[in-house]
Amino acid sequence: MTAPEPGLDLDAAAAVLLLARDLHLDLDEPTLVSRVLDALARLEPGCALAVRVGGLRGGEAVRCYARHGVLRGGLERERLAVSAEAALAAALKPAVGSSARLRLGARWDSPFVGAGAGFSVPLASGGELFGIIDVADPPAAAPRAMPMPARAARLWPVANQLAAVVRSVGAEREVRDLRDYQARLIDQADALVLAVDRRSRVTAANRALLTLLGRRRDDVVGRDLRELVPDDQRQHVATAFAAGLAGEHRLGVEIVLAAADRRRVRTVWNVSALGEPAEPAVGEAAAGPGAAIGAVVAVGADQSRLAELEAQMGRAE
């Protein structure tokens, strides 16, 4: 058994290793923070512990979690306080350091009621601040052998792990929210919108298209597109969408769709690929056309009214 290196903190190393195993992106925030508090309790036994997450975005309340301590009221709306030294060590971006929701100071601002001396460690990742960890000794506790700066330093790896996970979860949530927002925009658009994958399966159809066809969403999404057109249109539709999957843009493609009541609905579409064909890497054989394209999106318009007007003009002549 090799002797530990001089200065190696085995307790802190063990806590970091356990967190690396226990922190997952699929955990909710209270569970994530609870596991971090478990690690902090092992490293700072008998201390009041707090983790505050969020708070730098306008109007966002701080989520506060505590163990072995009572938090002051109103912390959710207070500015996060970080020492200038800690902000420098965390390499916070200038815009973060100047945020109105952050206060840089020289002294520790305790979030606890009736606690003793303590310190804080920022939850920082990629130059952004995602919260703060606070540790406080019991009231009138004798000074510990390890000075406060050294105690704070051993918690940095724990704080960094939580910050990285909170950052990833936040980024994932923002992507999901953006996709949901885009989906709502598409669904509420006046234009007809349709997405089809490489197997000719409909993966998206907006409300305007469903209304035009008189169909429910589950009658369209998941079905083969060729099932939604009359027999005499199937080859024409297959050719247009195959061109999209090959990376071509087709404009003004006229397609007759089959409505639920068997009406033939005349439409016109612009067909484009979702994604672009990938360039082969050096030394790699070129992939087939559209190899990286997974789906085609089509934006169209109802031409039924135009057909009616044309028929009326023909009768008038």
Side-chain angles (χ1 to χ4, degrees):
M1 181 177 181
T2 56
E5 297 178 17
L8 180 62
D9 190 330
L10 295 179
D11 290 338
V16 171
L17 288 173
L18 286 173
L19 278 180
R21 182 197 67 184
D22 292 341
L23 296 188
H24 309 291
L25 293 180
D26 56 346
L27 297 176
D28 59 24
E29 186 176 280
T31 304
L32 286 170
V33 174
S34 177
R35 294 186 178 184
V36 168
L37 287 169
D38 290 342
L40 295 174
R42 287 192 292 269
L43 295 173
E44 291 288 342
C47 290
L49 306 169
V51 175
R52 288 178 277 172
V53 181
L56 286 190
R57 296 187 177 185
E60 180 190 33
V62 178
R63 282 92 64 194
C64 302
Y65 307 87
R67 187 172 296 179
H68 308 311
V70 179
L71 296 176
R72 291 188 285 104
L75 276 178
E76 296 83 0
R77 293 294 173 185
E78 286 189 15
R79 292 187 297 169
L80 293 176
V82 176
S83 70
E85 183 180 3
L88 181 63
L92 296 181
K93 296 175 181 177
V96 176
S98 60
S99 169
R101 305 297 301 277
L102 176 66
R103 179 166 57 83
L104 297 178
R107 56 183 292 276
W108 176 60
D109 186 11
S110 174
F112 301 104
V113 174
F119 59 90
S120 64
V121 179
L123 300 176
S125 178
E128 302 285 348
L129 185 66
F130 297 93
I132 193 168
I133 289 173
D134 291 284
V135 179
D137 291 329
R144 297 201 178 189
M146 184 181 294
M148 290 283 186
R151 290 169 62 188
R154 74 200 297 248
L155 298 189
W156 274 86
V158 174
N160 289 344
Q161 284 207 51
L162 178 58
V165 174
V166 170
R167 181 188 185 191
S168 297
V169 169
E172 191 176 77
R173 182 175 60 248
E174 288 179 0
V175 170
R176 185 171 59 250
D177 290 346
L178 178 59
R179 285 177 178 168
D180 290 345
Y181 174 69
Q182 290 173 334
R184 288 195 300 273
L185 285 180
I186 290 172
D187 193 51
Q188 295 170 11
D190 292 332
L192 312 177
V193 182
L194 178 71
V196 179
D197 66 14
R198 297 189 68 86
R199 294 182 292 172
S200 297
R201 184 181 57 188
V202 177
T203 57
N206 74 336
R207 189 178 308 172
L209 177 59
L210 298 174
T211 301
L212 177 65
L213 298 180
R215 296 181 183 273
R216 300 191 306 272
R217 194 175 304 276
D218 55 6
D219 290 335
V220 175
V221 175
R223 291 181 63 183
D224 190 306
L225 175 62
R226 290 165 294 190
E227 298 176 4
L228 302 174
V229 301
D231 292 346
D232 60 356
Q233 288 283 299
R234 290 183 177 179
Q235 186 57 49
H236 172 57
V237 168
T239 300
F241 280 82
L245 287 168
E248 298 180 24
H249 298 280
R250 292 289 183 93
L251 303 178
V253 179
E254 294 190 8
I255 298 175
V256 175
L257 298 174
D261 59 4
R262 300 183 182 278
R263 285 180 299 112
R264 291 171 65 92
V265 181
R266 181 179 166 186
T267 59
V268 61
W269 300 83
N270 293 340
V271 181
S272 303
L274 283 176
E276 296 293 341
E279 292 293 332
V282 176
E284 257 187 11
I293 295 173
V296 168
V297 64
V299 179
D302 176 17
Q303 296 290 290
S304 301
R305 181 57 180 162
L306 178 60
E308 292 174 5
L309 292 175
E310 288 176 346
Q312 290 175 12
M313 290 176 64
R315 289 193 295 269
E317 292 174 355

